[in-house]
Each structure stands twice: as C-alpha cells, then as structure tokens.
C-alpha cells in the first residue's frame, strides 16, 4: 500500500525511490494572429493549356491517332429531318412567239368568206376536166334502159352531187377516208381549241363554223379542205409554240375565207369521172402494146391475126369515145393537157394569199419562223440525198424546170420575201 504514488492534488511529494522529471512551469508560446502565422507550403503551379499558333499561322492542328477501320463504331442511325415545304419557283420564261389566248369579246364580220381571183381561176382551170367528165357520164348514162329519162336523171344527179362537198357528214367521210384525219383527243383539244379561238377572233370568224382534225404525221404541216375542215399534224401541235401554231392555223383559215379549199375540192370532184376514164383508156392502150410486143416474137402473121380479132375492136371503141368527146365539146377537153400547169400556178398564188391573210392578223413573225423551219428541214433533206448519191457514185439530182412548173407551193425564199413588208416596224399612228 506504501508503494502507491501520491494523489495528484499533492504535487510537492516525491516518491522515495526516484525523483519525477522536471517539466516547464509555463506552457509553450504558440503564434497568435494572422501576421505571425507561418506561410503555407508552396505547391507547383498546374500546367496551362498547350500553346496553339495564332490566327495568322498556317500550322495544322495536332494529329490524333485514328482507331482501326475494322473496329470503327457504326454510324448513328439517320434521324428524320423536318420536311421543308418547297419554295415557290419562278415560272419559265415564255417563248418569244407566245400569244395570249384569254377569251374576250369577239366581233364577227357580216361577210365571213368570199371567192377571190384564185378560187375563180381554179374553177376555170378545172373546166376541161369537167367537160370531159360530163361527156363520160353522158355516154355511160346512155347505157341505162328507158327512153332517155333515166339518162337525164343520172346526169342531173351527178351535177348536184357537188353540193355534198359542203355537207357535214360527207365532210367527215372525206376527212377520215380521203385525208386520213382523226378527231383530236381531249388533251389535244385543250391545246388546240384556245389557239383556234384566238385566230378566229382576230379574223372576225365564228370559230364553231369549222371542225378541227388531227393528222398523225411527223412533218410540220396543216390542211384546209372542203367547206369546214381544218387539220393539223401532231408534230406541229406538239412542237410549235402556240404563236407559231396560230400562224399556220391562220394560213389555213385564209384558204377557207378566200374560197380556195372548196373550189379545189369541187373541181377535183367534177374532174374525177374524166380522170377515171383517162386511166382506163391508158391502161387498155398499154396492155394492147404489151400484147403486141409479146406476140411479135411469133411472127408478123400471128400479130396481125391477134390484132384483128381482139385489139382492133377495143381500139375502135376507145377512139370513137375520144372523138365523140372532143367533137361534141369543140376540142375543149384537149385543154386538160395544159390544166396541170395552170392549176399549179394558181395553187402557188393561193398560198401567197393565205400567207397575206395570216400576216394581216398579226402572225407575220410567227409565220416567218415556221417558214424558216420548213427551209431548214428541206435543206437537210437535200443534203442527205446528195450525200447518199455521192456515196453511191451518182451525181446529185437537180430539180427539173418542169417540176418547178408543176409545184403547187412556192419556194420558201419567195414566201419569206413576201412577208418582209409585214416584218418591218410600223410607224406610230
């Protein structure tokens, strides 16, 4: 019990065995206040971003290694882009020969067609053919039984048949069978009819008086026939601007207004019997000559016998018909030999008059453009023909003078030269 140390409240007592260590009586002095605190340890400053060249330098950016192609990550799936409405685009520029086809008030002329000098010339030129046809019909009518009344009725019926040229259903048959035309489709009518109404309005003509037809053809062309037929090719309808299409329609309308179309068809109709008779007589004569040349190889006796038995009666009948026709009509049918040249000349004049009609309606520039296209097509065709002739070792064929005399249309330079006054700028009124 005696070895236990003294309690802490008795610091003056020391154990007997050893003295305790001496501690300082005052506590250690610690720094007080911010001025006496020791500075914090200095750490190295963090490294800044790498220095890149300035905007004036051209050094490339640092190259980073690319991952291998075989381990490339698949591209992200495409995301649906918002649909942007189409922006309105400007309409394409109109053709220089485009015309307006808006409907407007139309003033119709009191006299919508007439018979000009070329129409009268056509009828006069067909007169020899008409007389020859009248003789043929009269001779054939004599073969009818009776006391001559039926013959007279047959001749009168043939004379009145010319009125069918102006009959609507008959015109449809002519357009389909003779001219190989067809009615336009709805799409073709939507393009053709507004242009035709504009042409008719400028001319003061009722557009419904005439019927429009389509010809399946790859040429730029149009046709006017009978009393009310106006046809245009599919090539002209699909390839020409509406102004140039209106120009060729105005040209065909000029044929109708001047009476060229009905006069030509009427003359052709009344000349048909005479032409058929001429072809029959020509065929018989050629056959007789060929038979004579065939039997000439067997000797003169055989030829004379065959001629006497078979051919002589035929020649006598044909000669009698020709003599009766010429003598009864005072030789006028012989003028039919000159009629093709007269009809060709009148046809060329009628084309120029139709050009004048189209130019007077304001279509002279459009018509001149169409004629230039015609001329280019003809030049290309002549060039191809000349090239083919040279490759075959032949000389290019030149147009004979007789072919020019029989041409029913004037050449394109002549038609363009006639349009020059209409193409000059008009002085202000």
């Amino acid at each position: 019990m005696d070895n236990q140390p003294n309690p802490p409240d008795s610091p003056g007592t020391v154990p007997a065995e050893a003295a305790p260590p001496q501690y300082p009586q005052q506590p250690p002095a610690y720094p007080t206040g911010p001025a006496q605190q020791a500075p914090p340890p200095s750490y190295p400053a963090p490294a800044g971003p790498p220095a890149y060249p300035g905007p004036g330098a051209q050094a490339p950016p640092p190259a980073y290694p690319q991952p291998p192609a075989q381990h490339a990550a698949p591209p992200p799936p495409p995301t649906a882009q918002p649909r942007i409405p189409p922006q309105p685009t400007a309409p394409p520029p109109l053709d220089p020969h485009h015309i307006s086809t808006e409907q407007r008030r139309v003033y119709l002329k009191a006299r919508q067609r007439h018979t000009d000098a070329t129409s009268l010339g056509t009828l006069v030129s067909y007169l020899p053919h008409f007389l020859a046809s009248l003789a043929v019909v009269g001779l054939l009518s004599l073969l009818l039984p009776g006391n001559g009344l039926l013959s007279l009725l047959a001749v009168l019926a043939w004379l009145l048949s010319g009125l069918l040229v102006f009959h609507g259903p008959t015109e449809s048959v002519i357009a389909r069978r003779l001219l190989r035309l067809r009615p336009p489709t709805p799409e073709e009518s939507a393009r053709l009819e507004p242009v035709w109404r504009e042409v008719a309005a400028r001319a003061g003509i009722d557009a419904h008086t005439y019927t429009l037809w389509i010809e399946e053809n790859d040429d730029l062309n149009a046709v006017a026939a009978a009393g009310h037929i106006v046809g245009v090719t599919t090539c002209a309808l699909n390839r020409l601007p509406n102004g140039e299409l209106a120009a060729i329609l105005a040209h065909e309308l000029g044929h109708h207004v001047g009476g060229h179309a009905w006069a030509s068809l009427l003359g052709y109709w009344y000349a048909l019997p005479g032409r058929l008779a001429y072809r029959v007589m020509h065929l018989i004569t050629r056959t007789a000559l060929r038979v004579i040349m065939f039997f000439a190889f067997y000797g003169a006796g055989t030829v004379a016998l065959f001629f006497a038995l078979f051919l002589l009666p035929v020649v006598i009948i044909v000669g009698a018909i020709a003599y009766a026709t010429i003598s009864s009509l005072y030789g006028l049918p012989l003028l039919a030999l000159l009629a093709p040249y007269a009809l060709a000349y009148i046809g060329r004049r009628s084309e120029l008059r139709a050009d004048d009609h189209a130019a007077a309606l304001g279509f002279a520039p459009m018509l001149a453009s169409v004629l230039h296209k015609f001329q280019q097509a003809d030049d290309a065709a002549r060039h191809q023909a000349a090239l083919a002739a040279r490759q075959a070792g032949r000389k290019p064929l030149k147009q004979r003078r007789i072919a020019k005399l029989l041409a029913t249309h004037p050449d394109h330079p002549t038609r363009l030269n006639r349009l020059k006054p209409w193409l000059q700028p008009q002085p202000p009124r």
Side-chain angles (χ1 to χ4, degrees):
M1 294 290 294
D2 296 334
N3 293 334
Q4 292 182 351
N6 294 327
D9 54 355
S10 302
T13 61
V14 178
E17 291 84 4
Q22 298 294 324
Y23 293 99
Q25 297 296 322
Q26 297 294 332
Y30 294 97
T32 59
Q36 298 180 359
Q37 291 180 357
S42 60
Y43 296 96
Y52 292 99
Q58 300 296 329
Y64 297 97
Q66 299 293 334
Q70 60 272 18
H71 299 292
T79 58
Q81 298 294 334
R83 184 176 181 181
I84 302 176
Q87 299 294 330
T89 58
L94 297 177
D95 190 89
H97 292 157
H98 180 82
I99 61 172
S100 175
T101 57
E102 295 181 359
Q103 295 187 8
R104 62 181 189 275
R105 184 183 298 272
V106 179
Y107 298 93
L108 301 180
K109 293 182 179 179
R111 185 183 180 189
Q112 299 198 1
R113 67 170 67 194
H114 59 276
T115 303
D116 59 15
T118 55
S119 301
L120 294 176
T122 300
L123 296 177
V124 172
S125 300
Y126 271 114
L127 182 60
H129 296 85
F130 169 75
L131 295 176
S133 299
L134 180 61
V136 170
V137 173
L139 292 175
L140 293 178
S141 64
L142 295 177
L143 302 177
L144 297 176
N147 53 1
L149 181 60
L150 291 179
S151 301
L152 180 60
L153 292 178
V155 174
L156 291 177
W158 175 73
L159 292 175
L160 294 176
S161 64
L163 298 177
L164 295 176
V165 172
F166 306 97
H167 185 235
T170 306
E171 284 187 346
S172 299
V173 175
I174 293 174
R176 296 176 185 272
R177 304 300 180 183
L178 184 61
L179 303 178
R180 303 297 181 183
L181 304 178
R182 62 168 177 82
T185 62
E187 294 78 10
E188 293 170 341
S189 296
R191 171 170 170 76
L192 183 60
E193 289 183 357
V195 179
W196 172 249
R197 287 196 299 266
E198 175 64 22
V199 172
R202 293 192 184 189
I205 303 298
D206 186 6
H208 301 287
T209 303
Y210 302 93
T211 56
L212 301 176
W213 297 82
I214 301 297
E215 179 184 358
E216 293 286 347
N217 200 320
D218 294 333
D219 297 332
L220 295 176
N221 201 4
V223 62
H228 310 91
I229 295 175
V230 177
V232 64
T233 61
T234 53
C235 178
L237 180 62
N238 298 326
R239 297 184 182 181
L240 293 180
N242 68 342
E244 297 180 4
L245 179 62
I248 62 175
L249 291 177
H251 173 90
E252 302 305 328
L253 180 60
H255 285 308
H256 279 298
V257 171
H260 311 155
W262 69 262
S264 297
L265 187 57
L266 192 64
Y268 174 82
W269 173 256
Y270 281 125
L272 192 58
R275 288 181 173 179
L276 292 178
Y278 170 78
R279 291 183 179 181
V280 171
M281 295 171 61
H282 185 261
L283 179 61
I284 292 175
T285 304
R286 289 183 59 184
T287 304
L289 291 176
R290 289 181 179 180
V291 171
I292 290 174
M293 294 301 296
F294 175 77
F295 281 98
F297 293 101
Y298 294 95
T302 306
V303 174
L305 179 61
F306 180 82
F307 183 78
L309 295 178
F310 296 98
L311 297 182
L312 186 58
V314 175
V315 173
I316 291 175
I317 294 174
V318 172
I321 294 175
Y323 177 77
T325 302
I326 295 173
S327 61
S328 61
L329 300 174
Y330 305 99
L332 289 178
L334 293 178
L335 296 177
L337 301 176
L338 302 176
Y341 300 95
L343 289 173
Y345 172 77
I346 295 172
R348 293 192 294 269
R349 299 300 302 177
S350 65
E351 293 296 326
L352 295 177
R353 285 179 175 266
D355 288 347
D356 292 343
H357 180 268
L361 298 181
F363 298 111
M366 299 78 165
L367 185 59
S369 177
V370 175
L371 293 177
H372 277 298
K373 293 178 181 179
F374 286 163
Q375 187 173 7
Q376 292 175 359
D378 290 347
D379 293 343
R382 281 194 296 266
H383 177 72
Q384 292 294 335
L387 182 62
R390 283 195 295 266
Q391 292 178 352
R394 303 189 307 268
K395 292 183 178 181
L397 297 177
K398 295 183 179 180
Q399 188 178 13
R400 298 179 180 179
R401 186 171 182 82
I402 189 172
K404 294 182 179 180
L405 293 176
L406 292 175
T408 58
H409 285 64
D411 55 7
H412 303 306
T414 301
R415 299 177 68 178
L416 288 171
N417 186 59
R418 190 179 179 89
L419 289 176
K420 283 184 178 180
W422 300 95
L423 300 176
Q424 301 296 330
Q426 301 295 330
R429 295 182 179 179

